Amino acid sequence: MTSVLGYYLGVSYRRKRVDADLESLAHHFRGRVLDVGGARLRGRFRPPAESHWVVADLAGACDVRADIVALPFQSGAFDAVKATEVLEHVPDPAAALRECARVLRSGGHLVATAPFLERLHGDPGDYARFTETMWARLLAEAGLHPVRIAPQGGYFTHLAGLVRFLVLRAPAGVRHLGYGLFPLLDLLARLDARPSVQRSEFASFVGGYLIVATR
């Protein structure tokens, strides 16, 4: 199986959306960038060549072993901080955001993502899901100014993802037949981008959030 086909078949809608959002925000990842929780490479986003990338994690192939609530760096040491799919695994996300704010230089950007309508997944623990309102509050309490708190995926993406999840865990023969549904599921997921859907009650279903904030 080629890497392109493997990515298409094996990577969730959520991870693909995170990848796409990170690619669109690559201009923020210049200078010294701290990637918290980035030891395991997931998806296909990779650091821009012009950045000085520092990975801090509790384990794995990282540059620095560190907890997000106690980062061993001087204040204002980084131009950007990336924390994707990390904050749901932190018992005290408010403390984590304060530390991210502390190590950011003035005017630097925090880029984070967090799931909402997603299955529980330990890494090693999965503690919380927050709404846009709560993320805005947590950012403000950390001294960060939200530039963008945007929903990632909605009702139809989640519905398509549930069917996809079922297909990927079916016995081999059924799974191979189920792959034929994937293009239809892609079309279903795209309904979330329609203006009529975004103005409807379907928009109250949110797969997760993209968070961009400055210090």
Side-chain angles (χ1 to χ4, degrees):
M1 185 182 294
T2 68
S3 60
V4 173
L5 184 60
Y7 183 83
Y8 175 71
L9 294 178
V11 176
S12 69
Y13 287 119
R14 169 114 196 107
R15 177 56 60 180
K16 290 172 183 173
R17 179 60 183 268
V18 169
D19 279 346
D21 283 340
L22 290 174
E23 290 288 351
S24 73
L25 294 168
H27 58 282
H28 288 317
F29 299 130
R30 292 175 179 165
R32 285 178 55 81
V33 180
L34 177 63
D35 185 354
V36 186
R40 281 188 288 173
L41 295 178
R42 302 171 183 176
R44 63 183 178 190
F45 175 78
R46 295 296 180 266
E50 63 271 19
S51 64
H52 177 65
W53 207 265
V54 178
V55 177
D57 210 327
L58 295 172
C62 55
D63 300 303
V64 179
R65 292 289 174 91
D67 192 317
I68 192 172
V69 299
L71 296 170
F73 305 107
Q74 293 182 348
S75 297
F78 293 95
D79 299 292
V81 174
K82 172 182 168 287
T84 51
E85 310 297 88
V86 169
L87 294 169
E88 71 272 19
H89 299 295
V90 182
D92 189 351
L97 288 173
R98 287 195 297 270
E99 272 294 89
C100 289
R102 182 185 65 78
V103 301
L104 264 180
R105 67 165 175 81
S106 179
H109 285 84
L110 166 69
V111 176
T113 64
F116 192 71
L117 283 180
E118 290 291 326
R119 68 189 182 102
L120 297 177
H121 53 287
D123 197 17
D126 191 339
Y127 296 97
R129 301 286 187 270
F130 294 128
T131 62
E132 177 181 351
T133 304
M134 189 61 182
W135 282 121
R137 178 174 177 173
L138 289 169
L139 291 170
E141 290 175 350
L144 292 164
H145 307 284
V147 174
R148 186 177 172 193
I149 305 175
Q152 294 175 305
Y155 178 89
F156 293 104
T157 301
H158 189 61
L159 182 59
L162 290 175
V163 177
R164 202 172 185 283
F165 183 88
L166 183 63
V167 169
L168 289 173
R169 282 150 185 82
V174 177
R175 183 172 68 252
H176 295 154
L177 288 173
Y179 288 153
L181 294 173
F182 280 19
L184 297 177
L185 296 178
D186 295 343
L187 293 174
L188 180 64
R190 289 175 190 167
L191 291 176
D192 284 325
R194 295 178 64 89
S196 59
V197 171
Q198 293 178 355
R199 294 191 300 266
S200 74
E201 289 182 316
F202 288 112
S204 63
F205 292 84
V206 177
Y209 291 98
L210 168 67
I211 299 162
V212 182
T214 61
R215 176 175 174 272

